[in-house]
Amino acid sequence: MADIFDDLESKADELAKKIDQSYDEVFAALLQLVDGKTSEEAIEILAGLDIGQALKLKQSAAISSTMASGVVSILENTYTTTAPLTETALRGLLVSVESKLSSRFTDVVGNDMRSIIVDGISTGKFPNQILKESKERLEELGHSAANAKKEIQTGFNQYSNSVTNSMAEKAPANTKYVYIGAYDDKTREECVAKINFGSGTREQIIAEFGDMNNEVWNCRHKWEEVSSSPEDQGYNPEKFEE
């Protein structure tokens, strides 16, 4: 089971680098548009631009292909015998996750880019200086490649959780689940409790933990229907050292 999380991490890392590259390219293009302008003129020019849309054009193909590929991996590694979801539902969940990520990497970043450029011009900085400092400024505002990677991994987890919850809702009440994934020194206490919980029904899990989600943020685990061999499935209540 660890292979799926390694695969998703690799996909997230690759996409994050492309997202980061799109920031560099769009920021450089914006600076060319306002080169030699006063801050007032720059404000007028940038106010008429949809920077978020420019970023979206750069990113949309990469986001769609990476998320689709990741979702395929998630579904291929999800064991179920009782309540598979329809293709329409699975696609709907994917669109929802993609839309949330796209908004985070386009509209929010676009507004911050506009502010960085105007602030730089108003303080007398040259375009090349603004561009040089742009990476640091964007990172200060939370738009680093590292954060993008975590956001993408979170998107994969949110998709997986939605699939898990929807399938469990459809499954017979006596269907049992286990919490599978790594159990090592990096495993959070919340995940340790779920691993040690053992197998349980949807009702029992919700009564104990409130829902059937994993810990979402950079989590390497998931609730999954118990197969005939939980150990082969990835369930291991014994801690191991890396």
Side-chain angles (χ1 to χ4, degrees):
M1 187 62 205
D3 290 346
I4 175 63
F5 295 112
D6 290 341
D7 178 51
L8 294 177
E9 181 178 15
S10 177
K11 293 181 190 304
D13 185 59
E14 182 180 350
L15 178 55
K17 290 176 181 176
K18 292 179 180 178
I19 296 295
D20 196 51
Q21 181 180 352
S22 75
Y23 295 164
D24 292 341
E25 293 174 355
V26 170
F27 201 94
L30 292 173
L31 280 174
Q32 286 184 341
L33 287 175
V34 298
D35 187 13
K37 308 297 183 183
T38 65
S39 61
E40 182 178 16
E41 291 169 334
I43 290 172
E44 293 175 351
I45 293 171
L46 295 175
L49 300 177
D50 189 340
I51 302 175
Q53 183 60 28
L55 287 164
K56 188 172 293 184
L57 290 173
K58 290 277 188 181
Q59 301 171 5
S60 59
I63 291 177
S64 294
S65 62
T66 301
M67 295 307 296
S69 177
V71 161
V72 168
S73 294
I74 290 170
L75 297 177
E76 287 179 343
N77 285 273
T78 298
Y79 177 80
T80 180
T81 61
T82 54
L85 301 182
T86 65
E87 182 178 348
T88 300
L90 293 172
R91 288 186 180 277
L93 291 174
L94 175 59
V95 169
S96 177
V97 172
E98 282 185 5
S99 178
K100 184 175 181 179
L101 283 176
S102 179
S103 177
R104 173 68 178 81
F105 297 146
T106 57
D107 296 334
V108 176
V109 180
N111 288 332
D112 286 340
M113 283 185 174
R114 183 183 287 108
S115 296
I116 291 170
I117 292 172
V118 172
D119 288 347
I121 293 174
S122 65
T123 55
K125 294 178 181 177
F126 293 106
N128 62 343
Q129 185 180 0
I130 299 173
L131 180 60
K132 183 178 179 181
E133 296 175 356
S134 65
K135 180 77 71 177
E136 182 178 350
R137 290 292 309 279
L138 286 172
E139 289 182 356
E140 289 173 354
L141 293 168
H143 307 312
S144 66
N147 279 346
K149 178 181 175 180
K150 291 178 181 177
E151 295 276 0
I152 296 161
Q153 288 177 292
T154 296
F156 284 137
N157 275 328
Q158 289 172 329
Y159 183 89
S160 180
N161 284 335
S162 294
V163 169
T164 297
N165 281 281
S166 297
M167 289 195 303
E169 184 182 15
K170 291 177 59 179
N174 64 350
T175 304
K176 291 197 171 183
Y177 304 84
V178 288
Y179 199 64
I180 61 175
Y183 185 10
D184 53 31
D185 289 339
K186 293 189 292 184
T187 304
R188 284 171 278 195
E189 291 183 6
E190 294 84 355
C191 288
V192 171
K194 293 175 182 179
I195 291 171
N196 290 331
F197 180 76
S199 64
T201 64
R202 173 176 180 267
E203 182 179 4
Q204 291 169 333
I205 293 167
I206 292 176
E208 181 71 20
F209 302 107
D211 54 43
M212 290 187 69
N213 294 336
N214 64 7
E215 292 306 305
V216 185
W217 187 252
N218 213 24
C219 188
R220 302 171 293 162
H221 306 85
K222 62 188 287 192
W223 287 104
E224 193 168 283
E225 185 177 336
V226 182
S227 73
S228 58
S229 177
E231 292 76 18
D232 292 336
Q233 187 178 13
Y235 174 64
N236 181 8
E238 298 296 326
K239 188 174 183 180
F240 63 88
E241 303 294 335
E242 287 194 319

